[in-house]
Amino acid sequence: MAEVVFREARRDDVPSIVTLLADDGLGATRETVREDVDADYWCAFDAIDGDPRNALIVVDRDGEMVGTMQLTFIPSLSRRGAERMQIEAVRVRGDLRGAGIGRQMMEWAVGQARQRGCRLVQLTTDKQRAEAHRFYARLGFVASHEGMKLTL
């Protein structure tokens, strides 16, 4: 397998990131992929890029973007003041799922959390994503909480 490279996203990555986010059944219902990227995506990128507690990561292999994820570092008084990392919007290009890239991404992200001194890594995954649940469980994640969301 070719080596993957992790880096922070640049503004010119946004169209490719949106395409990755839409590259599955659920994402296709949530994202809008057009030649001209919707202004909401640009505003979101600017907010993430300008926030030192957020990192939008892209994964490159052989000069092509093959994955993305967002890492957010959350300070907390709970757990004796522990900082935690939230991992969101994890995507691997559809034709490369099952090739080990997702595992490399998660191992890299957990390594970043350890390096920063986080005491907990958490993520949410849609209840419809049974394969993702099995994947995260194999990596040691435990479904210890029931997440709830309110769409506004």
Side-chain angles (χ1 to χ4, degrees):
M1 179 189 316
E3 182 179 342
V4 294
V5 175
F6 297 89
R7 63 175 175 81
E8 289 212 33
R10 299 180 303 258
R11 196 163 175 55
D12 63 334
D13 291 320
V14 170
S16 295
I17 293 169
V18 172
T19 299
L20 278 174
L21 294 174
D23 185 25
D24 69 19
L26 287 174
T29 67
R30 301 178 195 169
E31 309 305 336
T32 304
V33 178
R34 300 187 319 229
E35 189 172 321
D36 294 327
V37 174
D38 191 304
D40 290 340
Y41 291 114
W42 296 116
C43 289
F45 175 82
D46 290 341
I48 294 164
D49 192 49
D51 183 344
R53 292 198 170 278
N54 273 282
L56 185 57
I57 304 299
V58 297
V59 184
D60 290 331
R61 186 179 80 169
D62 295 330
E64 292 184 5
M65 186 184 301
V66 297
T68 187
M69 62 186 158
Q70 182 176 341
L71 310 179
T72 302
F73 299 95
I74 306 168
S76 177
L77 288 177
S78 68
R79 296 180 184 253
R80 302 190 66 215
E83 183 173 60
R84 63 187 67 202
M85 174 195 278
Q86 174 84 20
I87 305 174
E88 287 289 330
V90 178
R91 293 292 191 288
V92 173
R93 202 173 74 195
D95 63 319
L96 295 173
R97 291 187 190 125
I101 293 170
R103 174 176 285 280
Q104 288 179 287
M105 289 171 63
M106 297 308 294
E107 289 172 351
W108 183 86
V110 169
Q112 296 299 298
R114 287 185 200 285
Q115 194 172 35
R116 188 171 165 123
C118 293
R119 288 192 238 149
L120 182 74
V121 175
Q122 62 188 31
L123 56 83
T124 60
T125 180
D126 194 284
K127 288 186 176 192
Q128 298 177 58
R129 296 184 188 275
E131 286 182 38
H133 303 164
R134 289 188 293 274
F135 168 73
Y136 292 124
R138 283 193 306 270
L139 295 174
F141 286 84
V142 177
S144 62
H145 291 67
E146 184 76 18
M148 301 177 84
K149 295 188 180 193
L150 175 64
T151 301
L152 304 177

